[in-house]
Amino acid sequence: MPIHHLFFSLILISLSISLSAQPFQWPEGKKAAISLSFDDARLTNIDNGLPLFKKYGTRVTYYVNPPNMQPRLEGWKQAVKDGHEIGNHTIHHPCTGNFEWSREKALENYTLASMRRELIEANQQIYEMLGVVPRSFAYTCGQTFVGRGANTRSYVPLVDELFVSGRGWMDEAPNDPMFADAGPTLSIEIWTERILKQKSNP
């Protein structure tokens, strides 16, 4: 996933495809849930997103990289006041070094220990900036590994330890609420380069 793209995820959990013998009871008779999330703490999240979501009474999850929050810090504080969730998206946004732009922060050069340090540090920075501790995480580039070759390790168990949920990317399948593993929550990504760049008018 090129970092310059803006996208949001729709995490769809539907009973219609559930194979569970025990039915899941949605509140108020609902049959599914959709979660909207935006990554990377982009300027448009604040400049266009906040007024748009306020207009429609919608709350979303913003998965942020703390360094990207600095230019709009007051706006991020307002996002918290407006009831939006703030999630962890690492500090450096590491992805596979197969993406040339990620070569200096390649997941192949990470270890479980260095990823743990980064996730904890990101949580600390977010808390210092916004007064909230993230409860959810979004895997950068949807990639859930660190290391290379025989030293490759999944960091899903680490995310499961530190967060309530971990959102994936390009996992085009619904999550069964009676079976789904919250560590790597499946999600459908819809590219929306223009959505938050448009004016708030429908």
Side-chain angles (χ1 to χ4, degrees):
M1 176 200 66
I3 196 169
H4 61 276
H5 283 291
L6 170 67
F7 62 88
F8 71 93
S9 70
L10 296 177
I11 301 175
L12 177 62
I13 306 173
S14 175
L15 286 179
S16 63
I17 57 90
S18 174
L19 300 178
S20 174
Q22 183 180 12
F24 181 84
Q25 296 299 317
W26 288 100
E28 302 174 5
K30 302 292 191 293
K31 296 184 179 180
I34 294 177
S35 172
L36 301 176
S37 63
F38 294 79
D39 292 0
D40 305 336
R42 296 181 177 278
L43 301 180
T44 53
N45 293 167
I46 298 302
D47 297 348
N48 301 88
L50 284 191
L52 179 68
F53 297 132
K54 189 167 188 174
K55 177 179 180 179
Y56 291 103
T58 301
R59 292 183 180 91
V60 304
T61 300
Y62 289 111
Y63 290 107
V64 300
N65 310 103
N68 292 353
M69 295 166 59
Q70 292 290 351
R72 296 290 189 276
L73 187 54
E74 291 306 310
W76 287 109
K77 291 177 181 178
Q78 186 62 49
V80 171
K81 289 179 185 175
D82 289 351
H84 298 292
E85 179 187 11
I86 303 297
N88 186 317
H89 199 47
T90 73
I91 294 173
H92 303 294
H93 201 288
C95 293
T96 176
N98 289 303
F99 296 127
E100 188 174 347
W101 52 264
S102 187
R103 202 64 53 83
E104 297 300 316
K105 51 191 175 181
L107 285 167
E108 289 85 347
N109 297 330
Y110 272 67
T111 64
L112 289 175
S114 62
M115 181 58 78
R116 175 185 290 276
R117 287 192 298 272
E118 180 160 342
L119 296 181
I120 291 172
E121 177 61 24
N123 271 0
Q124 182 61 35
Q125 289 186 24
I126 292 167
Y127 178 75
E128 290 171 358
M129 297 165 92
L130 302 180
V132 297
V133 177
R135 299 179 71 243
S136 62
F137 174 76
Y139 293 95
T140 47
C141 298
Q143 295 165 332
T144 60
F145 73 93
V146 295
R148 63 173 68 233
N151 294 318
T152 302
R153 298 287 181 269
S154 168
Y155 74 99
V156 170
L158 174 60
V159 168
D160 188 58
E161 175 190 337
L162 299 176
F163 302 95
V164 172
S165 64
R167 197 215 66 207
W169 177 58
M170 294 299 282
D171 307 307
E172 297 183 359
N175 296 281
D176 184 330
M178 298 302 293
F179 182 81
D181 181 354
T185 306
L186 303 178
S187 68
I188 301 171
E189 300 290 345
I190 300 177
W191 296 94
T192 58
E193 189 68 41
R194 295 185 301 273
I195 284 185
L196 292 185
K197 290 184 180 177
Q198 294 174 347
K199 293 185 178 179
S200 298
N201 296 328

